[in-house]
Amino acid sequence: MTALTKLFRATAFRLSVAYLLVFALFAGFILGYVAWNARQVLDDQIQGTIEAEITGLAEQYRLGGIRRLVGVIDRRTREPSASLYLVTTNAGERLAGNVGSLPAGVLDDPGVRETDYRQSDEPDAQVRRALVRVFILPGGFRLLVGRDVEERERLGAVIRQALGLSLGLVTILACLGGWFVTRRVLKRVDAMTETTRTIMAGDLDGRLAVSGNGDELDRLATNLNAMLDRIGELMSGMKEVSDNIAHDLKTPLTRLRNRAEEALRTAKTPEDYARALEGTIDESDNLIRVFNALLMIARLEAGNAAATMADFDLSEVAHSVAELYDAVADEASIPLEVDIEPDLSLHGNRELVGQALANLLDNALKYGVAADDAAGTPPSITIAARRQGDHVEIAVADRGPGIPESARGHVLERFARLEAARSRPGFGLGLSLVAAVARLHGGELRLEDNSPGLKAVLALPAKAP
């Protein structure tokens, strides 16, 4: 595709041409309207002058008859002016005036009209245009008074010339402007196209250039860069998830295979086979829970649960989850304190929010029991919920070892586990699920220091009153 073809096909150039046509039509309409009004004004002035002269000449005829009228017209025709006069008999014989010839029938039709005329009777005399009025005097004499419209025609020619020159100049300037603008736009679009080609070729770190002037191309480039950043994050997440699945699921799968192999090698009685099958089922259940959690996180990040949103009372949900885990906390000899404000209305998915709270409490029970008695801080767990501005915050705090600030972002990723937690059951998906629920509801999950321990805060937008 040649540069000229690209220029003609560019949207910016087509828009420039469209704007040119609209402006040309508008300018032509305005100048045409001005010309038409100017013509009307001139015609009205000419008719007013003719009427005044007709009235005066008719008065001269009434006072002195045809001789006086002929004398007055002879004097006026010798004066330099654009006025036209002609007096004829009933038979059309010329008595006085500066009009040589007229088209046939003009003198027989009283009234105002525009007609051709010659100032002499010679055949090669110049034909001109005039606005005339024919008045029939008593006795059958014809009196014609008119004005040459050459000035009006010159004015029309000037306006037409101005229109042509203006449209020509506008066309040239518009073409130059369209070419300049299109070249700039094409340059930026070509740069974007080249960048996208490198990205499609595998360079996912490439980004569209932003000029910084805030125009629509900058906004497009900014949004596309944000989209590419998100795609890069998802690709990195997929790679990390794949690596983590290969690493963290290898152990339970190996254990599952070893148990089956051991049962085939050593089992002698039905009871031995039954125990082997029970262990295999337990390991299979763990794997199913992992894949269910992964599937739920994927659905949440895809926004598939947004259609199930409804209004509900978070206070009731939080109390229900706290009651569910109260027995587990008692069994672990960990006090569970509840501080939940009443009537905390939310618009969201009741089951998912309940699952997120359950995950936070489950994490606190698993990892918040390692408090050092020598430090004088016995283990405890607190679940609190209250309204903070336009958000509702649910906090689950423990007195365990906590999470270092540098690792708090890492533990929200799928299959991310700290080294200290590797010896405990779990796959590192609990906090990832809570973070996905928070994003689905337009909120956030914050991990804060509880001094000592960890404080997980789930902040969700409150329902407007």
Side-chain angles (χ1 to χ4, degrees):
M1 184 183 297
T2 65
L4 190 59
T5 303
K6 289 176 63 178
L7 179 68
F8 288 152
R9 289 187 176 182
T11 302
F13 186 82
R14 293 181 179 180
L15 287 176
S16 299
V17 172
Y19 288 146
L20 169 63
L21 293 176
V22 172
F23 181 80
L25 291 175
F26 184 74
F29 173 77
I30 293 295
L31 289 177
Y33 181 75
V34 170
W36 180 79
N37 275 278
R39 182 187 180 100
Q40 290 297 115
V41 170
L42 289 176
D43 285 349
D44 290 342
Q45 290 179 348
I46 291 174
Q47 290 185 30
T49 302
I50 291 174
E51 290 295 333
E53 291 200 84
I54 286 285
T55 301
L57 293 174
E59 180 65 18
Q60 294 293 331
Y61 179 80
R62 187 182 66 80
L63 294 175
I66 190 64
R67 290 182 179 275
R68 184 167 182 172
L69 177 62
V70 169
V72 171
I73 289 178
D74 282 338
R75 287 196 302 272
R76 291 189 179 184
T77 55
R78 288 194 292 270
E79 298 174 358
S81 69
S83 297
L84 301 174
Y85 305 98
L86 180 64
V87 179
T88 66
T89 63
N90 188 23
E93 181 182 355
R94 182 174 178 274
L95 300 177
N98 56 1
V99 176
S101 62
L102 291 167
V106 172
L107 294 175
D108 297 329
D109 185 12
V112 179
R113 67 164 60 188
E114 188 170 328
T115 182
D116 297 331
Y117 78 98
R118 288 189 175 94
Q119 286 190 327
S120 67
D121 293 332
E122 298 177 2
D124 58 348
Q126 181 181 3
V127 177
R128 305 168 70 94
R129 295 287 292 176
L131 188 64
V132 301
R133 181 186 175 189
V134 177
F135 185 75
I136 299 178
L137 299 170
F141 294 101
R142 267 66 171 173
L143 171 62
L144 180 145
V145 178
R147 297 278 293 186
D148 194 290
V149 294
E150 182 181 1
E151 293 181 358
R152 189 192 68 185
E153 298 300 328
R154 283 203 302 267
L155 176 62
V158 169
I159 293 177
R160 289 190 295 273
Q161 184 179 13
L163 175 61
L165 290 175
S166 299
L167 292 181
L169 181 61
V170 167
T171 301
I172 294 174
L173 292 178
C175 290
L176 291 176
W179 175 82
F180 176 74
V181 172
T182 305
R183 288 285 295 177
R184 289 195 61 188
V185 173
L186 281 178
K187 185 177 180 180
R188 294 184 63 186
V189 171
D190 288 342
M192 290 182 176
T193 303
E194 187 62 30
T195 303
T196 56
R197 286 174 179 168
T198 61
I199 294 173
M200 288 187 293
D203 181 15
L204 298 181
D205 293 330
R207 294 296 180 267
L208 303 179
V210 179
S211 65
N213 56 18
D215 60 5
E216 61 278 0
L217 290 179
D218 267 5
R219 295 195 296 272
L220 175 62
T222 301
N223 290 333
L224 288 177
N225 287 339
M227 181 187 69
L228 290 172
D229 290 339
R230 181 57 178 161
I231 292 174
E233 293 174 2
L234 294 176
M235 293 293 291
S236 298
M238 288 180 61
K239 182 178 181 300
E240 185 175 352
V241 167
S242 300
D243 294 341
N244 288 332
I245 288 176
H247 182 270
D248 288 349
L249 296 187
K250 180 179 179 181
T251 300
L253 286 173
T254 302
R255 190 162 52 242
L256 182 66
R257 182 187 182 281
N258 290 340
R259 285 189 176 181
E261 185 179 6
E262 182 181 1
L264 289 175
R265 188 177 63 252
T266 63
K268 303 298 182 181
T269 65
E271 289 77 11
D272 293 337
Y273 284 109
R275 283 193 298 271
L277 287 174
E278 289 173 358
T280 302
I281 291 172
D282 290 339
E283 292 294 341
S284 300
D285 288 340
N286 287 333
L287 291 175
I288 290 173
R289 282 194 291 271
V290 169
F291 285 109
N292 284 339
L294 287 173
L295 182 60
M296 180 178 290
I297 292 173
R299 287 176 176 174
L300 292 177
E301 291 182 343
N304 292 339
T308 62
M309 299 289 191
D311 297 339
F312 67 95
D313 186 1
L314 177 65
S315 302
E316 179 186 348
V317 174
H319 277 295
S320 299
V321 175
E323 289 176 4
L324 180 65
Y325 278 84
D326 187 53
V328 181
D330 284 342
E331 185 178 348
S333 300
I334 301 176
L336 179 59
E337 300 177 6
V338 179
D339 181 15
I340 301 173
E341 290 183 0
D343 300 326
L344 296 176
S345 297
L346 281 183
H347 181 77
N349 188 298
R350 179 190 183 98
E351 289 73 20
L352 291 177
V353 173
Q355 180 65 52
L357 294 180
N359 283 16
L360 293 179
L361 281 172
D362 188 65
N363 270 12
L365 288 169
K366 285 180 181 177
Y367 309 113
V369 296
D372 188 359
D373 292 339
T377 306
S380 67
I381 297 175
T382 302
I383 177 171
R386 59 180 50 86
R387 184 170 184 133
Q388 296 286 349
D390 56 353
H391 280 71
V392 172
E393 293 188 353
I394 311 102
V396 177
D398 60 57
R399 292 295 182 178
I403 298 176
E405 185 176 355
S406 59
R408 290 174 187 171
H410 173 65
V411 297
L412 298 182
E413 300 172 359
R414 278 169 280 192
F415 293 104
R417 304 185 70 196
L418 300 179
E419 289 301 324
R422 291 286 178 180
S423 60
R424 306 194 180 190
F427 292 93
L429 294 174
L431 291 179
S432 298
L433 179 60
V434 178
V437 172
R439 286 192 295 270
L440 176 68
H441 290 79
E444 63 174 345
L445 173 63
R446 302 195 306 269
L447 300 181
E448 302 174 353
D449 192 358
N450 197 37
S451 301
L454 178 68
K455 182 179 180 180
V457 180
L458 179 61
L460 303 176
K463 180 180 179 293

